[in-house]
Amino acid sequence: MKNKSIYDIAIVGATGAVGQKIMDVLEKRNFPIGSIKLLSSKNSAGKKINFFNEEIIVEEATPESFTNVDIAFFSAGGSVSEALVPAAIEKGAVVIDNTSAYRMDANVPLVVPEVNETDIKNHKGLIANPNCSTIQMVTALKPIQKAYGLNRIIVSTYQAVSGSGKKAVDELDKQTRNYVNKEETKPEVLPVAGDKRHYPIAFNALPQIDVFQENGYTAEEMKMINETKKIMHLPDVKVAATCVRLPFFTSHAESIYIEIDKENINPTDIWKVLESQEGVVLEDDIQTQTYPTPLSAMDKDEVFVGRVRKDLDCDKGFHMWVVSDNLLKGAALNTVQIAESLIKNKWL
Amino acid sequence: MKNKSIYDIAIVGATGAVGQKIMDVLEKRNFPIGSIKLLSSKNSAGKKINFFNEEIIVEEATPESFTNVDIAFFSAGGSVSEALVPAAIEKGAVVIDNTSAYRMDANVPLVVPEVNETDIKNHKGLIANPNCSTIQMVTALKPIQKAYGLNRIIVSTYQAVSGSGKKAVDELDKQTRNYVNKEETKPEVLPVAGDKRHYPIAFNALPQIDVFQENGYTAEEMKMINETKKIMHLPDVKVAATCVRLPFFTSHAESIYIEIDKENINPTDIWKVLESQEGVVLEDDIQTQTYPTPLSAMDKDEVFVGRVRKDLDCDKGFHMWVVSDNLLKGAALNTVQIAESLIKNKWL
């Protein structure tokens, strides 16, 4: 591609929660936009969305939509990506896909810029954005792995309903109002909108995110396991995950246990490497009860780490608590950072 | 003690949440009560409480209160136990203490009847009831340990606000109403009522339960670590815990990773030993999305286990999800079960 200073972009899934967040992030970071196409399903086409002080009419996404598009952000579900990403690439767009459709494809880079930015260089028209719970974990663990090696990860997650889409957010809101108004409604969305059985989410904890796989793990847990190995280039690192949906709206939190390679490392050493990592903020002081929470991380760009402490039995073992806004670094922000890297490094 | 068929009991902390639950459980299980004294601080003395269809006036707890008491249930905080338990023992009562005051005292049995009932036999007038999050974990792990050995436990908890007392329950209720009514109030109770800093609990997750220790762990985490070793008689088992307070009212959930001794064990083997354990209910079927949740375990006596699966990297590693009502098996029920064991085995 010739050297441009502004870029023609398309956003597929512009009316969805992540699509909207992508627009917010593009505005906030003053992304060098030439033209913009907001694309959606037939149902949402015709809607008007304000973007960079301009009213834009949402169009139906078709294979033809991607003519003269430099960068196409996809965030409308895996089936839409499977249907339209090949056409977008063929028309010459570089696609950044926020769905799970192509993440584990060996030909598709899966990227968190702080962790494996140079993988972007090898793209063949498509870069995949990882799962939200994976992004914040690898962002926090990368500097530790770089300094001290990494053999094992055991993570239990505390995940916000917004990771399951607008209907899940509405369901928590509704059930919360039901509690206050002493009403009752039937759960219809969570844990997984399309699955057979639904549980209340208000004042509850659901140990299922996404559908179950034959091996007893959920798809969300397998994403964390497989994507972590791919992004970190550590095919042999041991990873185990338990993913749990909880009654809060924004930010995922993670209780992470790791085993590093090096002996005699202390929490203060871990602090140092975390503090040196762009995109990571250390919030860890037990004297002042300082640690991140889902509410404190909301609307912020960074990955926050607290409660760093050494395992009491294993010299190479450490525990920590990692929190980030699942719609920002976990989705929209990381997507835009990939686009910025494409431009900055002339990898378009 | 001579063979009696009914027993004179006292409840210290009768106006508190656990004290009330102890009365509920005594009634429900038709405990063989002769006389009953309901005791409290000076502030709550004079209140009337209905018990076994009789109105009983709460009296101030003093060293003299324990004359002619066979069994005294203490549940009014560590400092009250420290002040009055010695007097109660001296007066001839057998004390079952629900606080942390004497749990780690080598002379005091710390008991979950399903796990180490025979330890009760060695009591010297005092038996300690373990921490709520510990009780449900050891109840679930005991049959596995008995069948296959146990080398390691890594647990992340999902704990209800009722574990932090009535003020914490009221705070979650209030903040939930604030959300619906678009009001705001300052957090004043959680994570720890007496600690310096407070965070909102509604729509949030707080990685602090009880105060911090010098080693970076919270008191709650150290309780889980130390009490587990003592109850299970496994001083060398590796235990690590991360304890998190969440916005639900009742039941604690736990994401538990264990390493057993034996090779080539499968989840179905674990299921079998769990099913054979009294007090444990297996709720584990991914086909029907069956697993326990805090709401489903509420008001039930048992410890519920689901999501049992083998670690993908470690043949001896297993993950599971354990849920129980923190006020019942986690507190009042276990306390009453200890009393029943004292009677049944003639260990009073």
Side-chain angles (χ1 to χ4, degrees), chain A residues 173 179 199 217 257 289 310, chain B residues 173 179 199 217 289 310:
Chain A
D173 178 80
Y179 165 80
Y199 290 93
Y217 288 75
Y257 170 73
Q289 295 170 260
K310 194 159 182 155
Chain B
D173 178 80
Y179 165 80
Y199 290 93
Y217 288 75
Q289 295 171 261
K310 193 158 182 156

Side-chain angles (χ1 to χ4, degrees), chain A residues 56-347:
Chain A
I56 300 176
I57 296 171
V58 178
E59 298 168 49
E60 186 189 350
T62 71
E64 312 312 315
S65 307
F66 302 96
T67 310
N68 295 326
V69 166
D70 296 319
I71 302 172
F73 299 96
F74 272 73
S75 185
S79 57
V80 175
S81 288
E82 277 165 22
L84 291 176
V85 162
I89 297 170
E90 210 213 349
K91 293 272 186 292
V94 174
V95 172
I96 305 171
D97 185 23
N98 201 38
T99 78
S100 62
Y102 299 97
R103 283 183 192 148
M104 293 312 296
D105 186 324
N107 290 313
V108 178
L110 180 68
V111 176
V112 177
E114 291 88 340
V115 179
N116 62 332
E117 183 176 17
T118 55
D119 286 358
I120 297 175
K121 195 166 52 177
N122 306 318
H123 79 80
K124 298 174 176 67
L126 172 59
I127 300 119
N129 195 58
N131 186 49
C132 45
S133 51
T134 311
I135 291 176
Q136 67 184 67
M137 183 166 82
V138 297
T139 304
L141 295 187
K142 179 63 193 180
I144 302 171
Q145 180 259 329
K146 205 174 151 192
Y148 304 123
L150 184 64
N151 293 317
R152 182 161 212 190
I153 305 169
I154 298 175
V155 57
S156 294
T157 70
Y158 301 70
Q159 294 184 235
V161 292
S162 57
S164 200
K166 194 176 173 329
K167 279 185 184 168
V169 169
D170 290 345
E171 183 163 65
L172 173 57
D173 178 80
K174 191 176 173 186
Q175 290 177 1
T176 303
R177 289 169 198 283
N178 288 161
Y179 165 80
V180 170
N181 300 323
K182 295 189 163 61
E183 300 157 347
E184 227 172 289
T185 51
K186 226 178 106 190
E188 289 173 342
V189 181
L190 288 163
V192 182
D195 217 339
K196 297 178 288 277
R197 194 163 167 183
H198 301 289
Y199 290 93
I201 182 64
F203 310 108
N204 210 8
L206 307 181
Q208 181 191 357
I209 298 185
D210 212 330
V211 294
F212 280 106
Q213 314 294 290
E214 267 181 24
N215 65 359
Y217 288 75
T218 61
E220 181 85 355
E221 288 159 357
M222 292 312 300
K223 286 177 201 167
M224 290 196 81
I225 293 168
N226 293 325
E227 294 180 16
T228 297
K229 296 179 190 208
K230 177 169 177 176
I231 299 164
M232 298 190 86
H233 297 206
L234 295 173
D236 297 324
V237 67
K238 294 174 184 160
V239 189
T242 300
C243 292
V244 181
R245 188 72 73 193
L246 290 166
F248 41 85
F249 292 104
T250 312
S251 306
H252 293 341
E254 298 175 342
S255 167
I256 303 177
Y257 170 73
I258 57 166
E259 280 170 16
I260 60 173
D261 246 348
K262 220 175 154 193
E263 287 175 350
N264 297 319
I265 298 301
N266 287 312
T268 48
D269 302 313
I270 304 284
W271 280 354
K272 261 181 227 152
V273 299
L274 286 169
E275 283 178 317
S276 72
Q277 174 65 50
E278 210 194 311
V280 171
V281 175
L282 187 68
E283 292 190 339
D284 194 2
D285 180 4
I286 59 170
Q287 298 303 326
T288 57
Q289 295 170 260
T290 298
Y291 38 70
T293 70
L295 284 181
S296 73
M298 192 170 73
D299 295 329
K300 302 214 176 102
D301 284 349
E302 295 88 354
V303 173
F304 299 88
V305 185
R307 301 284 338 261
V308 177
R309 60 208 194 279
K310 194 159 182 155
D311 191 82
L312 298 176
D313 300 302
C314 172
D315 175 59
K316 294 175 175 175
F318 290 87
H319 302 269
M320 65 195 70
W321 173 252
V322 174
V323 189
S324 192
D325 187 318
N326 56 307
L327 300 177
L328 288 175
K329 184 59 184 167
L333 174 63
N334 197 70
T335 301
V336 173
Q337 285 174 320
I338 292 171
E340 290 173 342
S341 175
L342 278 166
I343 293 169
K344 182 188 72 191
N345 295 297
K346 302 186 177 28
W347 290 335

